[in-house]
Amino acid sequence: MSADLNALSIFITVSEEQSFRAAADRLGVTRSAVSQAVRRLEDSLGTPLFRRTTRSLGLTEAGDTLRRDIAPAMAELREAAEKVRGLGGAPRGQLRLAVSSIAESFLSGPLLAGFARAFPEVQLDILVTDEEDDIVAMGFDAGVRLGEVIEQDMIAIPVSGDQHQLAVCSPAYLAEHGAPDHPRDLARHRCIGWRPAPHRPPYRWEFSEAGREFVVDVAPECTTNDMGLMIRMALHGAGITFGMAETFESHLRRGELVALLPGFSTPFPGFYLYYPSRRAVDPRLRALIEHVRKRRAPPGS
């Protein structure tokens, strides 16, 4: 039996939102209409697609297989419809982005606020995440990640310059515990670490010496996926933390944090806006690409 295309689209939206109510709000329909569409789809396929409890909603194995198989095609259908809709004027509609939490230059505000002012009919839907999921399968138009983790079949546009990482602490912590002379000395210090997701191990602190890169497995007293919490704890003397230098820039400038071991840090390629190369560029995404390029262009160019 053939499946209803509208029901498939609703199924994808529910799987993205992980909520019937949120999917209904996003689609502008009632929760009942969403539930009925999913039930009809499950009946036509002869298998449950979601595991429902009073507190959570998750995909069954069949649901996850269906999502992975049809999400790229559904995204292309949405893109085609929006592309035709956008031919009559300025870009409009929703632009979905998956952005790394450490992409400070992209998330700091000015770039996105400038884009929102320039294109008021485009609604930005931004998921801040450090999961390296397939953006096409998850229904995103584009993502922002470090260049080194972007798949080779993607088109990538730089949104930042080269990056380097720093270990930092507060002046109070430095006065009490002293500064490490070498990264291996970090084992004797209190450290505040970063973990991108609950099922992932804590990030290993990366350094270089005499052109050779190496990592240090610190034993953090606190580990979190929230860089803001890491910074606040470091500001209050809880220990040494580690991350992108630009994340700490304002605190370093005001003297609230102190850079440690700067001689063991070398630059590497920064963050990129990336999107699939096999699809035509949606007008909304094209507008964001041009906005990023203009902001990064040298004055007078």
Side-chain angles (χ1 to χ4, degrees):
M1 182 181 295
S2 61
D4 182 347
L5 188 60
N6 183 59
L8 288 172
S9 178
I10 291 173
F11 161 73
I12 287 294
T13 305
V14 174
S15 69
E16 291 170 352
E17 297 291 342
Q18 298 184 358
S19 163
F20 281 85
R21 186 175 301 281
D25 292 342
R26 177 172 152 189
L27 294 169
V29 299
T30 65
R31 185 182 184 280
S32 175
V34 171
S35 297
Q36 290 175 18
V38 171
R39 189 176 301 112
R40 287 196 306 271
L41 181 59
E42 289 178 323
D43 290 343
S44 70
L45 296 174
T47 184
L49 299 175
F50 291 99
R51 290 188 299 272
R52 302 165 176 84
T53 69
T54 56
R55 294 188 177 183
S56 66
L57 180 73
L59 289 167
T60 63
E61 182 180 357
D64 188 53
T65 299
L66 181 63
R67 177 193 62 79
R68 285 188 282 106
D69 287 346
I70 71 170
M74 296 303 298
E76 290 186 6
L77 286 173
R78 291 175 182 173
E79 179 183 336
E82 291 298 332
K83 186 175 181 181
V84 171
R85 188 178 295 121
L87 291 176
R92 60 173 59 88
Q94 189 179 73
L95 180 63
R96 303 191 72 222
L97 306 173
V99 182
S100 171
S101 69
I102 56 175
E104 179 71 19
S105 56
F106 190 84
L107 291 172
S108 60
L111 185 149
L112 291 172
F115 178 78
R117 286 193 299 269
F119 299 96
E121 294 188 50
V122 176
Q123 294 84 49
L124 289 169
D125 183 358
I126 301 171
L127 175 67
V128 178
T129 175
D130 294 296
E131 293 282 14
E132 296 175 11
D133 292 319
D134 183 340
I135 58 171
V136 176
M138 296 299 291
F140 291 100
D141 299 291
V144 176
R145 290 281 183 273
L146 284 171
E148 62 190 30
V149 298
I150 296 174
E151 296 87 347
Q152 293 298 311
D153 61 347
M154 294 284 175
I155 295 176
I157 310 297
V159 296
S160 79
D162 286 351
Q163 300 288 306
H164 69 281
Q165 299 186 97
L166 278 179
V168 299
C169 70
S170 69
Y173 180 90
L174 184 65
E176 182 177 354
H177 299 278
D181 295 319
H182 190 277
R184 61 174 170 265
D185 298 334
L186 290 167
R188 299 194 295 271
H189 283 265
R190 297 183 63 83
C191 294
I192 306 160
W194 182 72
R195 182 197 304 272
H199 60 278
R200 304 272 293 278
Y203 182 73
R204 302 166 75 192
W205 295 14
E206 300 176 344
F207 299 93
S208 64
E209 184 176 23
R212 181 181 63 86
E213 297 182 353
F214 63 98
V215 298
V216 174
D217 288 314
V218 299
E221 275 71 23
C222 172
T223 305
T224 176
N225 69 333
D226 186 347
M227 179 59 71
L229 176 60
M230 293 166 61
I231 292 174
R232 290 190 294 273
M233 292 189 69
L235 288 170
H236 287 87
I240 298 172
T241 194
F242 187 78
M244 297 296 174
E246 67 176 19
T247 302
F248 307 126
E249 184 177 348
S250 62
H251 301 289
L252 292 168
R253 190 168 54 248
R254 293 192 294 266
E256 299 166 342
L257 292 174
V258 179
L260 305 172
L261 306 167
F264 295 90
S265 175
T266 56
F268 54 88
F271 293 94
Y272 289 77
L273 174 70
Y274 69 100
Y275 55 95
S277 59
R278 66 176 182 274
R279 286 160 45 184
V281 180
D282 180 277
R284 295 159 299 184
L285 179 55
R286 186 182 301 113
L288 178 61
I289 292 168
E290 292 305 315
H291 181 74
V292 167
R293 283 175 169 159
K294 286 179 182 178
R295 283 188 62 89
R296 287 188 49 76
S301 62

